[in-house]
Amino acid sequence: MTRSFSLPLLIALAATAAPTPPVASVTAVSAAQLAALAPYTQFARAAYCSPSIVQDWTLRWYVSCPAGSLPSHPSHWQRLAEPFPDSRSLSPVVTVTPSNTVQTYYVGYWPSSNSVVVAHQGTDPIQLRSDLTDVGIIMKSLDPTLFPGLDSSVQVHSGFANEHTQTAQIILNQVKSLISQYGATSVTLVGHSLGGALAELDCMFMALNLPPDIAIRGVTYGTPRVGNSAWTALFDATISDFQRINNKKDIIPIVPGRFLGFSHVMGEVHIMQPNDAVECPGDDNATDTECTIKSVPNIFDGDILNHLGPYQGIYIGTIYCT
């Protein structure tokens, strides 16, 4: 017999999910630590820019752009202030959207960090919320040709996995090419919203397919839950340098619901107000009221507009990159 659930009932089920053990208290994030996230925030914002613009970029000066509309021509960029001088160069952009059915992304080299950067575009937060609160969401095991050696119990959101599969090998080849060309020692994966979910998958994908001496760093924004507890355990054991940034009452990080078997990985940084953020311990079981799982107990107590920012003064989304 097929069961039908209303959205309020689903939220009630989420709130009454299996109890979780207590975890350590939160840690305050310093002003310097918050400032250090700005380049990654700008990289994530860049993924929303039109491919017709990105294809012409050297991306030099790009991340010094203020949090608003980008200048339309590279000659304008050098007149801007440089609040993030450590990240003023990212070149070359080697790819963007290959078709209308794939999220925009770019791959580039970040000289000051000697890192290859991969950034994935997100999607409309209203549509994403609708998709992720659907009780019909299913999980699937990861493609063994892309994620070799993983047990079939490791499962992720099928839509995220399908989207990732479309460009995974192309991006990996470009990352390898830039590592070889520039002698890069790390790969940095960033994204917002759906792009954050793809970046999370990318972290594991790169770790399994690149030499072990290439460091993997992930920074995501407003990321939904990606996989099950087996995925979470594997990710935490494999990826040690990962942060997922949540802003205020953003509801996207609390979907899909835990009652559907989904769980977050470690690394939450919760921005409560400008210059006021905490690092939350554990995976999806932080008990402190300053962490997202407690401060946004259901989608009715959240604010979808917080999904767009500001992330320390920076807004992310299509309307902020025109």
Side-chain angles (χ1 to χ4, degrees):
M1 179 178 66
T2 301
R3 295 183 178 182
S4 177
F5 296 96
S6 65
L7 183 56
L9 177 57
L10 296 181
I11 293 167
L13 288 170
T16 58
T20 54
V23 292
S25 299
V26 299
T27 303
V29 180
S30 69
Q33 289 173 313
L34 285 172
L37 290 172
Y40 304 97
T41 315
Q42 295 285 22
F43 290 153
R45 187 169 71 90
Y48 282 91
C49 295
S50 167
S52 63
I53 296 174
V54 177
Q55 285 173 332
D56 294 331
W57 283 353
T58 65
L59 283 192
R60 193 172 300 275
W61 310 96
Y62 170 71
V63 292
S64 66
C65 293
S69 296
L70 293 176
S72 59
H73 192 276
S75 65
H76 299 165
W77 301 345
Q78 298 184 30
R79 303 192 186 106
L80 298 172
E82 293 182 45
F84 315 122
D86 185 55
S87 60
R88 68 182 184 180
S89 180
L90 180 67
S91 61
V93 175
V94 296
T95 190
V96 290
T97 305
S99 76
N100 292 330
T101 63
V102 178
Q103 295 298 112
T104 300
Y105 66 90
Y106 66 79
V107 183
Y109 175 62
W110 186 10
S112 60
S113 290
N114 195 26
S115 184
V116 175
V117 176
V118 181
H120 290 275
Q121 182 190 41
T123 189
D124 172 30
I126 301 298
Q127 180 62 48
L128 185 61
R129 178 188 65 179
S130 176
D131 291 344
L132 297 182
T133 52
D134 182 356
V135 73
I137 291 172
I138 61 173
M139 284 190 271
K140 64 183 292 186
S141 301
L142 289 158
D143 183 344
T145 63
L146 297 177
F147 295 84
L150 298 194
D151 189 87
S152 61
S153 65
V154 176
Q155 296 191 328
V156 301
H157 184 286
S158 59
F160 298 162
N162 293 341
E163 181 73 28
H164 181 264
T165 297
Q166 293 188 71
T167 57
Q169 193 60 56
I170 298 171
I171 291 175
L172 177 63
N173 291 342
Q174 293 161 343
V175 166
K176 287 180 175 179
S177 176
L178 289 180
I179 289 174
S180 176
Q181 181 177 352
Y182 292 99
T185 55
S186 68
V187 177
T188 302
L189 297 314
V190 299
H192 169 258
S193 196
L194 169 60
L198 296 175
E200 185 173 314
L201 288 168
D202 257 354
C203 285
M204 182 63 67
F205 174 61
M206 295 295 170
L208 294 174
N209 289 280
L210 291 175
D213 61 335
I214 300 296
I216 305 297
R217 166 117 166 101
V219 183
T220 67
Y221 299 82
T223 308
R225 296 184 178 104
V226 172
N228 64 2
S229 58
W231 163 259
T232 296
L234 175 66
F235 190 98
D236 291 347
T238 307
I239 308 300
S240 60
D241 192 357
F242 184 82
Q243 290 175 294
R244 50 182 182 87
I245 319 301
N246 295 337
N247 184 54
K248 299 180 182 178
K249 293 281 190 174
D250 183 6
I251 66 174
I252 297 300
I254 69 167
V255 292
R258 292 189 294 172
F259 69 98
L260 292 172
F262 286 87
S263 177
H264 267 306
V265 299
M266 286 185 177
E268 180 187 1
V269 174
H270 189 203
I271 299 173
M272 295 169 293
Q273 296 295 334
N275 301 311
D276 182 10
V278 295
E279 292 182 345
C280 294
D283 294 311
D284 214 3
N285 58 343
T287 58
D288 196 287
T289 57
E290 293 179 301
C291 297
T292 298
I293 193 63
K294 291 294 185 181
S295 63
V296 191
N298 59 67
I299 64 173
F300 297 124
D301 287 337
D303 186 344
I304 192 64
L305 293 179
N306 289 164
H307 188 57
L308 303 177
Y311 297 90
Q312 280 300 103
I314 301 171
Y315 287 85
I316 306 177
T318 304
I319 62 174
Y320 302 106
C321 189
T322 56

